């Protein structure tokens, strides 16, 4: 059985890791290089590195910080933020990333995923979707959760996977930073319509939230979290032991 991955997320702004609630009220946490090294050493399965203001500010990703981060981690690294062209994919991959996450760039250019998958392989292309419920429908948001695209989220996810996205990170804006559990309802709907790996993001507050997530949705591949790992509210080694005791396959 495929092991369930635990993935810390580094949201980076102005060269520092930050964290907020519902994508707002950001607070400084740490150096991405130091934090990435720490997670690599304590049993995280992968890392996600988001330059969260690159798209909004219309600039390229921080490649200098990315290169230094990549040099200090020995687990797969997914990187996103300001990915709008094939050249951006190339830049990020050549700076040490294993996979490239695209969100706003794919919304602006729906052909980007297909072109990137053709050039680099689907395994390198990760669709990141910021989703919020609006009038009882799931909408896709862009620009770091600032702009409602009016796109219906489930149909958008399905389309992007058909275009070649090899993995999907579902970021629930409604549960982000609230620490009351993952958006199980949304994630179940996503897992029903696609067959590529799905990563849950947004809402974890304790170890039990991860246990509930994987028990409720056995087909889910991974869970991503930020502040509870950054502030040591949840210890990754302890979490994985708890998962093992609950018969959830994990890499210890």
């Amino acid at each position: 059985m495929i092991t369930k991955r635990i993935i810390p997320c580094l949201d980076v702004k102005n060269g520092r890791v930050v964290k907020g609630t519902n994508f707002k009220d950001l607070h400084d946490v740490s150096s991405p290089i130091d934090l990435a090294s720490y997670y690599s050493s304590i049993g995280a399965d992968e890392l996600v590195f988001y330059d969260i203001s690159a798209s909004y500010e219309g600039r390229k990703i921080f490649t200098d910080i990315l290169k230094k981060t990549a040099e200090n981690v020995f687990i797969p690294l997914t990187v996103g933020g300001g990915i709008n062209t094939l050249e951006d994919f190339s830049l990020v991959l050549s700076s040490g990333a294993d996979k490239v996450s695209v969100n706003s760039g794919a919304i602006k250019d729906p052909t980007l995923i297909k072109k990137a998958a053709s050039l680099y392989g689907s395994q390198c292309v990760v669709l990141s979707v910021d989703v919020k419920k609006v009038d009882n429908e799931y909408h896709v948001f862009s620009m770091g959760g600032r702009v409602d695209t009016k796109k219906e989220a489930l149909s958008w996810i399905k389309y992007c996977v058909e275009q070649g996205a090899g993995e999907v990170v579902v970021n629930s804006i409604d549960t982000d930073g609230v620490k009351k559990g993952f958006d199980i309802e949304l994630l179940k709907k996503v897992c029903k319509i696609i067959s590529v790996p799905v990563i849950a993001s947004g809402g974890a507050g304790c170890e039990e939230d991860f246990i509930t997530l994987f028990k409720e949705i056995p087909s889910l591949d991974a869970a991503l979290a930020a502040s509870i790992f950054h502030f040591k509210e949840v210890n990754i080694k302890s979490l994985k032991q708890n998962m093992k005791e609950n018969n959830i396959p994990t890499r210890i």
Side-chain angles (χ1 to χ4, degrees):
M1 189 176 289
I2 298 174
T3 58
K4 305 301 183 182
R5 291 171 284 152
I6 299 300
I7 307 174
C9 178
L10 310 183
D11 291 327
V12 179
K13 183 177 183 182
N14 299 325
R16 298 284 294 176
V17 176
V18 296
K19 192 66 190 86
T21 302
N22 304 125
F23 284 32
K24 298 176 182 177
D25 303 323
L26 301 176
H27 302 286
D28 183 86
V29 177
S30 181
S31 152
I33 300 164
D34 294 342
L35 208 51
S37 299
Y38 166 71
Y39 286 132
S40 182
S41 71
I42 65 163
D45 295 297
E46 296 187 15
L47 281 176
V48 168
F49 178 115
Y50 287 138
D51 187 341
I52 60 171
S53 59
S55 290
Y56 179 70
E57 294 171 1
R59 59 168 172 77
K60 301 294 184 184
I61 201 164
F62 291 121
T63 54
D64 54 340
I65 294 172
L66 171 55
K67 286 177 181 176
K68 289 176 183 175
T69 301
E71 288 170 1
N72 286 275
V73 300
F74 305 99
I75 53 178
L77 177 63
T78 298
V79 177
I83 307 297
N84 296 296
T85 65
L86 288 178
E87 289 72 24
D88 293 333
F89 269 83
S90 178
L91 179 66
V92 169
L93 290 169
S94 65
S95 296
D98 298 283
K99 293 181 276 189
V100 181
S101 175
V102 61
N103 184 348
S104 298
I107 294 167
K108 287 184 282 187
D109 178 8
T111 70
L112 180 59
I113 286 177
K114 187 172 185 176
K115 290 186 289 190
S118 297
L119 191 58
Y120 300 109
S122 290
Q123 78 283 353
C124 283
V125 182
V126 179
L127 173 70
S128 179
V129 192
D130 296 335
V131 182
K132 183 177 174 63
K133 213 169 194 180
V134 179
D135 297 329
N136 232 19
E137 182 179 75
Y138 291 111
H139 283 199
V140 177
F141 278 65
S142 65
M143 300 297 169
R146 295 174 180 86
V147 178
D148 184 354
T149 68
K150 312 295 184 183
K151 288 180 181 289
E152 195 281 315
L154 297 175
S155 57
W156 171 246
I157 290 169
K158 191 170 185 225
Y159 168 79
C160 290
V161 169
E162 289 168 351
Q163 294 303 298
E167 191 167 70
V168 177
V169 178
V170 181
N171 307 301
S172 172
I173 296 175
D174 293 315
T175 61
D176 176 69
V178 178
K179 299 183 182 180
K180 292 186 178 179
F182 291 93
D183 197 331
I184 302 287
E185 179 187 358
L186 168 61
L187 291 161
K188 281 184 175 179
K189 291 178 185 295
V190 172
C191 287
K192 279 183 181 177
I193 61 169
I194 59 175
S195 57
V196 302
V198 175
I199 300 171
S201 172
C206 62
E207 287 187 11
E208 201 55 40
D209 289 335
F210 292 86
I211 306 302
T212 299
L213 174 71
F214 289 123
K215 284 190 170 182
E216 287 278 339
I217 317 175
S219 61
L220 193 83
D221 291 82
L224 180 151
S227 61
I228 59 166
F229 294 145
H230 300 341
F231 300 121
K232 297 181 172 59
E233 295 166 44
V234 169
N235 177 279
I236 290 177
K237 288 183 179 179
S238 171
L239 167 59
K240 288 190 162 191
Q241 187 60 42
N242 193 351
M243 289 169 62
K244 185 178 180 181
E245 289 169 2
N246 279 273
N247 297 314
I248 298 167
T250 185
R251 179 182 67 87
I252 299 292

